[in-house]
PDB file of all heavy atoms in Angstrom:
ATOM      1  N   SER A  96      -2.951-128.107-181.771  1.00  0.00           N
ATOM      2  CA  SER A  96      -3.831-126.960-181.589  1.00  0.00           C
ATOM      3  C   SER A  96      -3.349-126.366-180.189  1.00  0.00           C
ATOM      4  O   SER A  96      -2.471-126.873-179.531  1.00  0.00           O
ATOM      5  CB  SER A  96      -5.255-127.517-181.358  1.00  0.00           C
ATOM      6  OG  SER A  96      -5.460-128.212-180.152  1.00  0.00           O
ATOM      7  N   PHE A  97      -3.864-125.036-180.019  1.00  0.00           N
ATOM      8  CA  PHE A  97      -3.562-124.375-178.869  1.00  0.00           C
ATOM      9  C   PHE A  97      -4.678-124.153-177.992  1.00  0.00           C
ATOM     10  O   PHE A  97      -5.879-124.215-178.355  1.00  0.00           O
ATOM     11  CB  PHE A  97      -2.853-122.983-179.194  1.00  0.00           C
ATOM     12  CG  PHE A  97      -1.551-123.166-179.946  1.00  0.00           C
ATOM     13  CD1 PHE A  97      -1.432-123.453-181.207  1.00  0.00           C
ATOM     14  CD2 PHE A  97      -0.285-122.978-179.184  1.00  0.00           C
ATOM     15  CE1 PHE A  97      -0.277-123.602-181.929  1.00  0.00           C
ATOM     16  CE2 PHE A  97       0.871-123.156-179.905  1.00  0.00           C
ATOM     17  CZ  PHE A  97       0.862-123.495-181.178  1.00  0.00           C
ATOM     18  N   GLN A  98      -4.476-123.793-176.658  1.00  0.00           N
ATOM     19  CA  GLN A  98      -5.545-123.359-175.675  1.00  0.00           C
ATOM     20  C   GLN A  98      -6.471-122.393-176.285  1.00  0.00           C
ATOM     21  O   GLN A  98      -7.695-122.473-176.276  1.00  0.00           O
ATOM     22  CB  GLN A  98      -5.047-123.015-174.400  1.00  0.00           C
ATOM     23  CG  GLN A  98      -4.329-124.101-173.611  1.00  0.00           C
ATOM     24  CD  GLN A  98      -3.853-123.613-172.300  1.00  0.00           C
ATOM     25  OE1 GLN A  98      -4.331-122.574-171.778  1.00  0.00           O
ATOM     26  NE2 GLN A  98      -2.873-124.254-171.656  1.00  0.00           N
ATOM     27  N   ASN A  99      -5.884-121.338-176.890  1.00  0.00           N
ATOM     28  CA  ASN A  99      -6.622-120.184-177.442  1.00  0.00           C
ATOM     29  C   ASN A  99      -6.740-120.314-178.865  1.00  0.00           C
ATOM     30  O   ASN A  99      -5.758-120.638-179.602  1.00  0.00           O
ATOM     31  CB  ASN A  99      -5.946-118.888-177.118  1.00  0.00           C
ATOM     32  CG  ASN A  99      -5.986-118.601-175.603  1.00  0.00           C
ATOM     33  OD1 ASN A  99      -6.908-118.900-174.842  1.00  0.00           O
ATOM     34  ND2 ASN A  99      -4.747-118.199-175.051  1.00  0.00           N
ATOM     35  N   LEU A 100      -7.940-119.974-179.501  1.00  0.00           N
ATOM     36  CA  LEU A 100      -8.178-120.195-180.771  1.00  0.00           C
ATOM     37  C   LEU A 100      -7.273-119.232-181.606  1.00  0.00           C
ATOM     38  O   LEU A 100      -7.041-118.057-181.352  1.00  0.00           O
ATOM     39  CB  LEU A 100      -9.591-119.848-181.253  1.00  0.00           C
ATOM     40  CG  LEU A 100     -10.635-120.671-180.643  1.00  0.00           C
ATOM     41  CD1 LEU A 100     -12.053-120.193-180.978  1.00  0.00           C
ATOM     42  CD2 LEU A 100     -10.562-122.109-181.395  1.00  0.00           C
ATOM     43  N   GLY A 101      -6.519-119.887-182.605  1.00  0.00           N
ATOM     44  CA  GLY A 101      -5.688-119.109-183.457  1.00  0.00           C
ATOM     45  C   GLY A 101      -6.147-118.933-184.845  1.00  0.00           C
ATOM     46  O   GLY A 101      -5.333-119.058-185.939  1.00  0.00           O
ATOM     47  N   LEU A 102      -7.458-118.801-184.959  1.00  0.00           N
ATOM     48  CA  LEU A 102      -7.944-118.558-186.421  1.00  0.00           C
ATOM     49  C   LEU A 102      -7.928-117.176-186.849  1.00  0.00           C
ATOM     50  O   LEU A 102      -7.858-116.206-186.065  1.00  0.00           O
ATOM     51  CB  LEU A 102      -9.463-119.047-186.398  1.00  0.00           C
ATOM     52  CG  LEU A 102      -9.650-120.541-185.879  1.00  0.00           C
ATOM     53  CD1 LEU A 102     -11.153-120.915-185.764  1.00  0.00           C
ATOM     54  CD2 LEU A 102      -8.966-121.469-186.841  1.00  0.00           C
ATOM     55  N   PHE A 103      -8.028-116.937-188.165  1.00  0.00           N
ATOM     56  CA  PHE A 103      -8.037-115.689-188.795  1.00  0.00           C
ATOM     57  C   PHE A 103      -9.537-115.328-189.089  1.00  0.00           C
ATOM     58  O   PHE A 103     -10.224-115.892-189.895  1.00  0.00           O
ATOM     59  CB  PHE A 103      -7.345-115.621-190.096  1.00  0.00           C
ATOM     60  CG  PHE A 103      -5.754-115.862-189.833  1.00  0.00           C
ATOM     61  CD1 PHE A 103      -5.279-117.073-189.815  1.00  0.00           C
ATOM     62  CD2 PHE A 103      -4.979-114.683-189.753  1.00  0.00           C
ATOM     63  CE1 PHE A 103      -3.930-117.242-189.759  1.00  0.00           C
ATOM     64  CE2 PHE A 103      -3.660-114.817-189.646  1.00  0.00           C
ATOM     65  CZ  PHE A 103      -3.069-116.101-189.508  1.00  0.00           C
ATOM     66  N   PRO A 104     -10.121-114.385-188.211  1.00  0.00           N
ATOM     67  CA  PRO A 104     -11.528-114.150-188.221  1.00  0.00           C
ATOM     68  C   PRO A 104     -12.035-113.635-189.703  1.00  0.00           C
ATOM     69  O   PRO A 104     -13.202-114.066-190.007  1.00  0.00           O
ATOM     70  CB  PRO A 104     -11.718-112.841-187.419  1.00  0.00           C
ATOM     71  CG  PRO A 104     -10.554-112.944-186.379  1.00  0.00           C
ATOM     72  CD  PRO A 104      -9.410-113.510-187.234  1.00  0.00           C
ATOM     73  N   SER A 105     -11.240-112.949-190.477  1.00  0.00           N
ATOM     74  CA  SER A 105     -11.797-112.453-191.723  1.00  0.00           C
ATOM     75  C   SER A 105     -11.673-113.558-192.948  1.00  0.00           C
ATOM     76  O   SER A 105     -12.279-113.350-193.959  1.00  0.00           O
ATOM     77  CB  SER A 105     -10.979-111.252-192.262  1.00  0.00           C
ATOM     78  OG  SER A 105      -9.557-111.590-192.352  1.00  0.00           O
ATOM     79  N   LEU A 106     -10.842-114.562-192.713  1.00  0.00           N
ATOM     80  CA  LEU A 106     -10.754-115.761-193.627  1.00  0.00           C
ATOM     81  C   LEU A 106     -11.978-116.582-193.525  1.00  0.00           C
ATOM     82  O   LEU A 106     -12.497-116.811-192.335  1.00  0.00           O
ATOM     83  CB  LEU A 106      -9.453-116.451-193.518  1.00  0.00           C
ATOM     84  CG  LEU A 106      -8.225-115.594-193.735  1.00  0.00           C
ATOM     85  CD1 LEU A 106      -6.930-116.525-193.652  1.00  0.00           C
ATOM     86  CD2 LEU A 106      -8.162-114.897-195.061  1.00  0.00           C
ATOM     87  N   SER A 107     -12.278-117.267-194.534  1.00  0.00           N
ATOM     88  CA  SER A 107     -13.384-118.291-194.514  1.00  0.00           C
ATOM     89  C   SER A 107     -12.875-119.501-193.796  1.00  0.00           C
ATOM     90  O   SER A 107     -11.682-119.654-193.506  1.00  0.00           O
ATOM     91  CB  SER A 107     -13.779-118.687-196.019  1.00  0.00           C
ATOM     92  OG  SER A 107     -12.692-119.524-196.602  1.00  0.00           O
ATOM     93  N   VAL A 108     -13.815-120.356-193.456  1.00  0.00           N
ATOM     94  CA  VAL A 108     -13.426-121.561-192.718  1.00  0.00           C
ATOM     95  C   VAL A 108     -12.524-122.478-193.605  1.00  0.00           C
ATOM     96  O   VAL A 108     -11.450-123.026-193.105  1.00  0.00           O
ATOM     97  CB  VAL A 108     -14.764-122.523-192.440  1.00  0.00           C
ATOM     98  CG1 VAL A 108     -14.463-123.864-192.183  1.00  0.00           C
ATOM     99  CG2 VAL A 108     -15.540-121.683-191.311  1.00  0.00           C
ATOM    100  N   ARG A 109     -12.679-122.602-194.898  1.00  0.00           N
ATOM    101  CA  ARG A 109     -11.914-123.413-195.721  1.00  0.00           C
ATOM    102  C   ARG A 109     -10.458-122.853-195.749  1.00  0.00           C
ATOM    103  O   ARG A 109      -9.536-123.368-195.690  1.00  0.00           O
ATOM    104  CB  ARG A 109     -12.440-123.441-197.256  1.00  0.00           C
ATOM    105  CG  ARG A 109     -11.563-124.304-198.139  1.00  0.00           C
ATOM    106  CD  ARG A 109     -12.017-124.229-199.574  1.00  0.00           C
ATOM    107  NE  ARG A 109     -13.134-125.032-199.788  1.00  0.00           N
ATOM    108  CZ  ARG A 109     -14.281-124.548-200.146  1.00  0.00           C
ATOM    109  NH1 ARG A 109     -14.498-123.180-200.179  1.00  0.00           N
ATOM    110  NH2 ARG A 109     -15.416-125.247-200.346  1.00  0.00           N
ATOM    111  N   GLN A 110     -10.471-121.490-195.890  1.00  0.00           N
ATOM    112  CA  GLN A 110      -9.125-120.794-195.969  1.00  0.00           C
ATOM    113  C   GLN A 110      -8.265-121.061-194.697  1.00  0.00           C
ATOM    114  O   GLN A 110      -7.130-121.284-194.679  1.00  0.00           O
ATOM    115  CB  GLN A 110      -9.134-119.294-196.259  1.00  0.00           C
ATOM    116  CG  GLN A 110      -9.677-119.040-197.644  1.00  0.00           C
ATOM    117  CD  GLN A 110     -10.084-117.556-197.925  1.00  0.00           C
ATOM    118  OE1 GLN A 110     -10.562-116.892-196.993  1.00  0.00           O
ATOM    119  NE2 GLN A 110      -9.852-117.067-199.055  1.00  0.00           N
ATOM    120  N   ASN A 111      -9.058-120.953-193.623  1.00  0.00           N
ATOM    121  CA  ASN A 111      -8.398-121.213-192.279  1.00  0.00           C
ATOM    122  C   ASN A 111      -7.881-122.620-192.152  1.00  0.00           C
ATOM    123  O   ASN A 111      -6.702-122.889-191.743  1.00  0.00           O
ATOM    124  CB  ASN A 111      -9.353-120.950-191.050  1.00  0.00           C
ATOM    125  CG  ASN A 111      -9.301-119.571-190.551  1.00  0.00           C
ATOM    126  OD1 ASN A 111      -8.378-119.104-189.967  1.00  0.00           O
ATOM    127  ND2 ASN A 111     -10.291-118.726-190.915  1.00  0.00           N
ATOM    128  N   VAL A 112      -8.617-123.589-192.737  1.00  0.00           N
ATOM    129  CA  VAL A 112      -8.180-124.990-192.684  1.00  0.00           C
ATOM    130  C   VAL A 112      -7.084-125.163-193.609  1.00  0.00           C
ATOM    131  O   VAL A 112      -6.093-125.832-193.193  1.00  0.00           O
ATOM    132  CB  VAL A 112      -9.419-125.839-193.064  1.00  0.00           C
ATOM    133  CG1 VAL A 112      -8.891-127.341-193.287  1.00  0.00           C
ATOM    134  CG2 VAL A 112     -10.373-125.881-191.915  1.00  0.00           C
ATOM    135  N   MET A 113      -6.958-124.525-194.819  1.00  0.00           N
ATOM    136  CA  MET A 113      -5.975-124.761-195.833  1.00  0.00           C
ATOM    137  C   MET A 113      -4.718-124.202-195.337  1.00  0.00           C
ATOM    138  O   MET A 113      -3.629-124.508-195.864  1.00  0.00           O
ATOM    139  CB  MET A 113      -6.389-124.256-197.133  1.00  0.00           C
ATOM    140  CG  MET A 113      -7.503-125.017-197.820  1.00  0.00           C
ATOM    141  SD  MET A 113      -7.774-124.520-199.466  1.00  0.00           S
ATOM    142  CE  MET A 113      -6.227-124.920-200.250  1.00  0.00           C
ATOM    143  N   LEU A 114      -4.745-123.201-194.333  1.00  0.00           N
ATOM    144  CA  LEU A 114      -3.451-122.810-193.859  1.00  0.00           C
ATOM    145  C   LEU A 114      -2.600-123.874-193.196  1.00  0.00           C
ATOM    146  O   LEU A 114      -1.331-123.643-193.047  1.00  0.00           O
ATOM    147  CB  LEU A 114      -3.678-121.614-192.783  1.00  0.00           C
ATOM    148  CG  LEU A 114      -4.117-120.345-193.398  1.00  0.00           C
ATOM    149  CD1 LEU A 114      -4.457-119.310-192.264  1.00  0.00           C
ATOM    150  CD2 LEU A 114      -3.085-119.788-194.273  1.00  0.00           C
ATOM    151  N   GLY A 115      -3.219-125.013-192.955  1.00  0.00           N
ATOM    152  CA  GLY A 115      -2.561-126.107-192.416  1.00  0.00           C
ATOM    153  C   GLY A 115      -1.799-126.960-193.442  1.00  0.00           C
ATOM    154  O   GLY A 115      -0.981-127.816-193.166  1.00  0.00           O
ATOM    155  N   ALA A 116      -1.772-126.456-194.679  1.00  0.00           N
ATOM    156  CA  ALA A 116      -1.169-127.048-195.750  1.00  0.00           C
ATOM    157  C   ALA A 116       0.289-126.601-195.946  1.00  0.00           C
ATOM    158  O   ALA A 116       1.134-127.005-196.778  1.00  0.00           O
ATOM    159  CB  ALA A 116      -1.775-126.834-197.179  1.00  0.00           C
ATOM    160  N   TYR A 117       0.760-125.535-195.130  1.00  0.00           N
ATOM    161  CA  TYR A 117       2.067-124.948-195.418  1.00  0.00           C
ATOM    162  C   TYR A 117       3.174-125.892-195.339  1.00  0.00           C
ATOM    163  O   TYR A 117       4.276-125.763-195.981  1.00  0.00           O
ATOM    164  CB  TYR A 117       2.182-123.812-194.367  1.00  0.00           C
ATOM    165  CG  TYR A 117       2.593-124.338-193.061  1.00  0.00           C
ATOM    166  CD1 TYR A 117       3.849-124.522-192.563  1.00  0.00           C
ATOM    167  CD2 TYR A 117       1.590-124.459-192.107  1.00  0.00           C
ATOM    168  CE1 TYR A 117       4.200-124.919-191.436  1.00  0.00           C
ATOM    169  CE2 TYR A 117       1.824-124.932-190.702  1.00  0.00           C
ATOM    170  CZ  TYR A 117       3.124-125.026-190.476  1.00  0.00           C
ATOM    171  OH  TYR A 117       3.417-125.462-189.124  1.00  0.00           O
ATOM    172  N   SER A 118       2.993-126.984-194.613  1.00  0.00           N
ATOM    173  CA  SER A 118       4.113-127.923-194.416  1.00  0.00           C
ATOM    174  C   SER A 118       4.082-129.008-195.543  1.00  0.00           C
ATOM    175  O   SER A 118       5.122-129.771-195.653  1.00  0.00           O
ATOM    176  CB  SER A 118       4.010-128.734-193.107  1.00  0.00           C
ATOM    177  OG  SER A 118       2.793-129.451-193.057  1.00  0.00           O
ATOM    178  N   ARG A 119       3.123-129.013-196.311  1.00  0.00           N
ATOM    179  CA  ARG A 119       3.031-129.875-197.538  1.00  0.00           C
ATOM    180  C   ARG A 119       3.252-129.292-198.757  1.00  0.00           C
ATOM    181  O   ARG A 119       3.726-129.833-199.657  1.00  0.00           O
ATOM    182  CB  ARG A 119       1.603-130.535-197.434  1.00  0.00           C
ATOM    183  CG  ARG A 119       1.407-131.412-196.315  1.00  0.00           C
ATOM    184  CD  ARG A 119      -0.081-131.672-196.084  1.00  0.00           C
ATOM    185  NE  ARG A 119      -0.735-132.087-197.417  1.00  0.00           N
ATOM    186  CZ  ARG A 119      -1.954-132.159-197.633  1.00  0.00           C
ATOM    187  NH1 ARG A 119      -2.826-131.845-196.715  1.00  0.00           N
ATOM    188  NH2 ARG A 119      -2.445-132.552-198.839  1.00  0.00           N
ATOM    189  N   ALA A 120       2.882-127.985-198.977  1.00  0.00           N
ATOM    190  CA  ALA A 120       3.047-127.339-200.327  1.00  0.00           C
ATOM    191  C   ALA A 120       4.502-126.835-200.448  1.00  0.00           C
ATOM    192  O   ALA A 120       5.174-126.425-199.511  1.00  0.00           O
ATOM    193  CB  ALA A 120       2.079-126.044-200.316  1.00  0.00           C
ATOM    194  N   ARG A 121       5.034-126.928-201.629  1.00  0.00           N
ATOM    195  CA  ARG A 121       6.348-126.701-201.980  1.00  0.00           C
ATOM    196  C   ARG A 121       6.570-125.209-202.078  1.00  0.00           C
ATOM    197  O   ARG A 121       7.571-124.625-201.584  1.00  0.00           O
ATOM    198  CB  ARG A 121       6.849-127.357-203.217  1.00  0.00           C
ATOM    199  CG  ARG A 121       6.862-128.882-203.059  1.00  0.00           C
ATOM    200  CD  ARG A 121       7.404-129.590-204.277  1.00  0.00           C
ATOM    201  NE  ARG A 121       7.353-130.991-204.193  1.00  0.00           N
ATOM    202  CZ  ARG A 121       7.773-131.876-205.210  1.00  0.00           C
ATOM    203  NH1 ARG A 121       8.159-131.278-206.378  1.00  0.00           N
ATOM    204  NH2 ARG A 121       7.721-133.144-205.038  1.00  0.00           N
ATOM    205  N   THR A 122       5.634-124.470-202.754  1.00  0.00           N
ATOM    206  CA  THR A 122       5.808-123.064-202.900  1.00  0.00           C
ATOM    207  C   THR A 122       4.528-122.426-203.016  1.00  0.00           C
ATOM    208  O   THR A 122       3.425-123.074-203.385  1.00  0.00           O
ATOM    209  CB  THR A 122       6.538-122.778-204.273  1.00  0.00           C
ATOM    210  OG1 THR A 122       5.743-123.321-205.365  1.00  0.00           O
ATOM    211  CG2 THR A 122       7.851-123.334-204.286  1.00  0.00           C
ATOM    212  N   GLY A 123       4.452-121.329-202.667  1.00  0.00           N
ATOM    213  CA  GLY A 123       3.133-120.379-202.715  1.00  0.00           C
ATOM    214  C   GLY A 123       1.962-120.886-202.130  1.00  0.00           C
ATOM    215  O   GLY A 123       0.933-120.769-202.534  1.00  0.00           O
ATOM    216  N   PHE A 124       2.118-121.517-200.812  1.00  0.00           N
ATOM    217  CA  PHE A 124       0.980-122.025-200.068  1.00  0.00           C
ATOM    218  C   PHE A 124       0.015-120.964-199.825  1.00  0.00           C
ATOM    219  O   PHE A 124      -1.227-121.110-199.782  1.00  0.00           O
ATOM    220  CB  PHE A 124       1.428-122.853-198.920  1.00  0.00           C
ATOM    221  CG  PHE A 124       1.798-122.063-197.753  1.00  0.00           C
ATOM    222  CD1 PHE A 124       0.717-121.773-196.741  1.00  0.00           C
ATOM    223  CD2 PHE A 124       3.045-121.473-197.519  1.00  0.00           C
ATOM    224  CE1 PHE A 124       1.083-121.020-195.649  1.00  0.00           C
ATOM    225  CE2 PHE A 124       3.215-120.722-196.353  1.00  0.00           C
ATOM    226  CZ  PHE A 124       2.359-120.488-195.534  1.00  0.00           C
ATOM    227  N   LEU A 125       0.564-119.887-199.324  1.00  0.00           N
ATOM    228  CA  LEU A 125      -0.400-118.655-198.963  1.00  0.00           C
ATOM    229  C   LEU A 125      -1.296-118.277-200.072  1.00  0.00           C
ATOM    230  O   LEU A 125      -2.449-118.056-199.967  1.00  0.00           O
ATOM    231  CB  LEU A 125       0.424-117.588-198.437  1.00  0.00           C
ATOM    232  CG  LEU A 125      -0.360-116.403-197.673  1.00  0.00           C
ATOM    233  CD1 LEU A 125      -1.208-117.023-196.579  1.00  0.00           C
ATOM    234  CD2 LEU A 125       0.478-115.309-197.176  1.00  0.00           C
ATOM    235  N   GLY A 126      -0.637-118.146-201.259  1.00  0.00           N
ATOM    236  CA  GLY A 126      -1.422-117.687-202.494  1.00  0.00           C
ATOM    237  C   GLY A 126      -2.477-118.714-202.785  1.00  0.00           C
ATOM    238  O   GLY A 126      -3.548-118.471-203.092  1.00  0.00           O
ATOM    239  N   THR A 127      -1.989-120.022-202.698  1.00  0.00           N
ATOM    240  CA  THR A 127      -2.976-121.078-203.043  1.00  0.00           C
ATOM    241  C   THR A 127      -4.182-121.098-202.050  1.00  0.00           C
ATOM    242  O   THR A 127      -5.266-121.271-202.432  1.00  0.00           O
ATOM    243  CB  THR A 127      -2.192-122.517-202.836  1.00  0.00           C
ATOM    244  OG1 THR A 127      -1.132-122.556-204.003  1.00  0.00           O
ATOM    245  CG2 THR A 127      -3.084-123.669-203.142  1.00  0.00           C
ATOM    246  N   THR A 128      -3.815-120.819-200.704  1.00  0.00           N
ATOM    247  CA  THR A 128      -4.888-120.861-199.735  1.00  0.00           C
ATOM    248  C   THR A 128      -5.970-119.734-200.067  1.00  0.00           C
ATOM    249  O   THR A 128      -7.103-119.873-199.841  1.00  0.00           O
ATOM    250  CB  THR A 128      -4.292-120.679-198.345  1.00  0.00           C
ATOM    251  OG1 THR A 128      -3.433-121.742-198.165  1.00  0.00           O
ATOM    252  CG2 THR A 128      -5.277-120.669-197.280  1.00  0.00           C
ATOM    253  N   LEU A 129      -5.506-118.550-200.280  1.00  0.00           N
ATOM    254  CA  LEU A 129      -6.210-117.346-200.364  1.00  0.00           C
ATOM    255  C   LEU A 129      -6.892-117.153-201.662  1.00  0.00           C
ATOM    256  O   LEU A 129      -7.863-116.253-201.753  1.00  0.00           O
ATOM    257  CB  LEU A 129      -5.358-116.070-200.072  1.00  0.00           C
ATOM    258  CG  LEU A 129      -4.663-116.082-198.652  1.00  0.00           C
ATOM    259  CD1 LEU A 129      -3.982-114.798-198.450  1.00  0.00           C
ATOM    260  CD2 LEU A 129      -5.816-116.263-197.576  1.00  0.00           C
ATOM    261  N   ARG A 130      -6.543-117.765-202.727  1.00  0.00           N
ATOM    262  CA  ARG A 130      -7.138-117.659-203.984  1.00  0.00           C
ATOM    263  C   ARG A 130      -8.557-118.298-204.010  1.00  0.00           C
ATOM    264  O   ARG A 130      -8.765-119.381-203.483  1.00  0.00           O
ATOM    265  CB  ARG A 130      -6.383-118.377-205.146  1.00  0.00           C
ATOM    266  CG  ARG A 130      -5.247-117.513-205.717  1.00  0.00           C
ATOM    267  CD  ARG A 130      -4.903-118.190-207.043  1.00  0.00           C
ATOM    268  NE  ARG A 130      -3.846-119.201-206.807  1.00  0.00           N
ATOM    269  CZ  ARG A 130      -2.564-119.100-206.778  1.00  0.00           C
ATOM    270  NH1 ARG A 130      -2.079-117.931-206.941  1.00  0.00           N
ATOM    271  NH2 ARG A 130      -1.850-120.091-206.406  1.00  0.00           N
ATOM    272  N   PRO A 131      -9.519-117.614-204.438  1.00  0.00           N
ATOM    273  CA  PRO A 131     -10.976-117.983-204.340  1.00  0.00           C
ATOM    274  C   PRO A 131     -11.215-119.299-205.136  1.00  0.00           C
ATOM    275  O   PRO A 131     -12.034-120.228-204.836  1.00  0.00           O
ATOM    276  CB  PRO A 131     -11.764-116.962-204.701  1.00  0.00           C
ATOM    277  CG  PRO A 131     -10.827-116.148-205.677  1.00  0.00           C
ATOM    278  CD  PRO A 131      -9.601-116.256-205.076  1.00  0.00           C
ATOM    279  N   ARG A 132     -10.425-119.524-206.277  1.00  0.00           N
ATOM    280  CA  ARG A 132     -10.668-120.635-207.134  1.00  0.00           C
ATOM    281  C   ARG A 132      -9.324-121.335-207.361  1.00  0.00           C
ATOM    282  O   ARG A 132      -8.389-120.623-207.557  1.00  0.00           O
ATOM    283  CB  ARG A 132     -11.245-120.241-208.447  1.00  0.00           C
ATOM    284  CG  ARG A 132     -12.664-119.691-208.401  1.00  0.00           C
ATOM    285  CD  ARG A 132     -13.110-119.306-209.777  1.00  0.00           C
ATOM    286  NE  ARG A 132     -14.547-118.828-209.759  1.00  0.00           N
ATOM    287  CZ  ARG A 132     -15.583-119.683-209.856  1.00  0.00           C
ATOM    288  NH1 ARG A 132     -15.426-121.082-210.059  1.00  0.00           N
ATOM    289  NH2 ARG A 132     -16.796-119.220-209.824  1.00  0.00           N
ATOM    290  N   ALA A 133      -9.334-122.673-207.357  1.00  0.00           N
ATOM    291  CA  ALA A 133      -8.089-123.325-207.564  1.00  0.00           C
ATOM    292  C   ALA A 133      -7.704-123.282-209.131  1.00  0.00           C
ATOM    293  O   ALA A 133      -8.599-123.522-209.835  1.00  0.00           O
ATOM    294  CB  ALA A 133      -8.170-124.801-207.087  1.00  0.00           C
ATOM    295  N   THR A 134      -6.571-122.991-209.549  1.00  0.00           N
ATOM    296  CA  THR A 134      -6.217-122.953-211.019  1.00  0.00           C
ATOM    297  C   THR A 134      -5.401-124.120-211.418  1.00  0.00           C
ATOM    298  O   THR A 134      -5.339-124.437-212.533  1.00  0.00           O
ATOM    299  CB  THR A 134      -5.669-121.583-211.259  1.00  0.00           C
ATOM    300  OG1 THR A 134      -4.414-121.416-210.592  1.00  0.00           O
ATOM    301  CG2 THR A 134      -6.484-120.419-210.996  1.00  0.00           C
TER     302      THR A 134
END
């Protein structure tokens, strides 16, 4: 984490948390994060 908050104000709490998945998802992590429903 950093001294200053690095959250995205317009994204939901869940979406902000899921941005941490970029190192684990193979492809399309951003789309996966921002989609309202998992498909």
Side-chain angles (χ1 to χ4, degrees):
S96 67
F97 292 83
Q98 290 182 22
N99 300 316
L100 292 172
L102 303 175
F103 292 88
S105 62
L106 297 185
S107 71
V108 166
R109 180 188 287 109
Q110 288 170 333
N111 269 287
V112 169
M113 289 187 66
L114 287 174
Y117 73 91
S118 64
R119 296 164 46 195
R121 294 181 180 178
T122 59
F124 81 91
L125 187 58
T127 297
T128 299
L129 299 181
R130 272 193 285 267
R132 292 178 180 271
T134 57

